[in-house]
């Protein structure tokens, strides 16, 4: 019986971390001369949990259901896709990518295809003061693997995640 329980627990842990990818994060600020580069990993647990953790867990971007939490430089920012149009579209696109489904269409997103990659740009039509002005997601067209996520901020700043 103990052997069966250990096997089940091992399988559960393997499933939780089977979708982990190495990630490199670049933080660019117009006011700072050099970019800050850190590494970490992205973990996906279908259907509604994604965690991108860098700099030893100090910086995180977590999607848990409709709730998005971003921790940067010790500051926690939260939003909900039920009330934030940018994150609502982002969540729909992520669900489509993760589940190998067609990318949804909408007035707030554009899709460009080139060299086996899809570049999906999400820009909300109703701009209110937000931490990010747009998202750009690059995925492999054949495998639906995320290659890069760029979150554009105000004043030419951005946070860019590259997945390996």
């Amino acid at each position: 019986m103990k052997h069966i329980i250990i096997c089940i627990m091992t399988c559960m842990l393997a499933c939780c971390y089977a979708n982990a990818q190495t990630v490199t994060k670049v933080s660019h600020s117009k006011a700072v001369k050099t970019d800050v580069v850190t590494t970490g990993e992205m973990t996906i647990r279908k259907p509604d949990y994604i965690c991108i953790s860098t700099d030893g867990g100090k910086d995180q971007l977590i999607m848990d259901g409709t709730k998005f939490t971003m921790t940067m430089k010790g500051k926690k920012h939260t939003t909900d896709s039920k009330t934030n149009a940018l994150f609502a579209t982002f969540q729909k696109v992520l669900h489509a990518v993760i589940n190998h489904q067609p990318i949804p269409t909408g007035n707030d997103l554009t899709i460009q295809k080139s060299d086996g990659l899809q570049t999906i740009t999400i820009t909300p039509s109703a701009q209110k003061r937000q931490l990010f002005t747009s998202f750009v997601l690059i995925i492999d067209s054949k495998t639906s693997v995320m290659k890069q996520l760029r979150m554009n901020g105000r004043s030419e700043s951005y946070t860019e995640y590259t997945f390996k």
Side-chain angles (χ1 to χ4, degrees):
M1 184 67 164
K2 286 182 185 178
H3 181 67
I4 293 172
I5 292 172
I6 291 171
C7 287
I8 291 171
M9 299 218 20
T10 304
C11 288
M12 287 173 60
L13 285 172
C15 289
C16 289
Y17 296 102
N19 291 325
Q21 289 182 307
T22 302
V23 62
T24 301
K25 176 184 169 188
V26 176
S27 298
H28 173 79
S29 175
K30 184 179 179 182
V32 179
K33 188 174 184 177
T34 57
D35 293 344
V36 177
V37 179
T38 56
T39 59
E41 77 174 15
M42 175 178 70
T43 304
I44 300 174
R45 283 186 249 160
K46 292 182 183 178
D48 287 330
Y49 182 85
I50 298 173
C51 176
I52 302 172
S53 178
T54 58
D55 198 19
K58 293 178 185 173
D59 291 344
Q60 293 184 338
L61 175 60
I62 299 171
M63 180 185 90
D64 191 2
T66 61
K67 184 178 179 183
F68 287 82
T69 304
M70 182 171 212
T71 306
M72 294 174 17
K73 299 177 186 173
K75 294 182 181 176
K76 190 179 273 191
H77 306 275
T78 60
T79 191
D80 197 303
S81 63
K82 292 178 184 176
T83 58
N84 188 321
L86 177 63
F87 282 87
T89 302
F90 183 56
Q91 183 180 21
K92 289 176 192 173
V93 169
L94 283 178
H95 274 278
V97 170
I98 291 168
N99 294 309
H100 304 285
Q101 297 172 342
I103 305 299
T105 58
N107 294 333
D108 52 354
L109 65 91
T110 59
I111 301 171
Q112 295 177 325
K113 296 180 182 183
S114 174
D115 298 325
L117 299 174
Q118 283 185 321
T119 302
I120 303 159
T121 304
I122 305 166
T123 308
S125 52
Q127 285 283 6
K128 63 179 184 176
R129 187 158 173 86
Q130 296 190 55
L131 188 59
F132 300 107
T133 58
S134 65
F135 294 147
V136 179
L137 181 64
I138 299 174
I139 61 169
D140 185 298
S141 298
K142 293 179 184 174
T143 62
S144 288
V145 171
M146 288 188 277
K147 297 292 187 181
Q148 191 174 72
L149 169 63
R150 181 177 175 139
M151 302 181 317
N152 295 309
R154 299 180 298 268
S155 304
E156 300 177 30
S157 67
Y158 62 83
T159 301
E160 184 173 271
Y161 298 95
T162 304
F163 308 104
K164 297 177 183 164

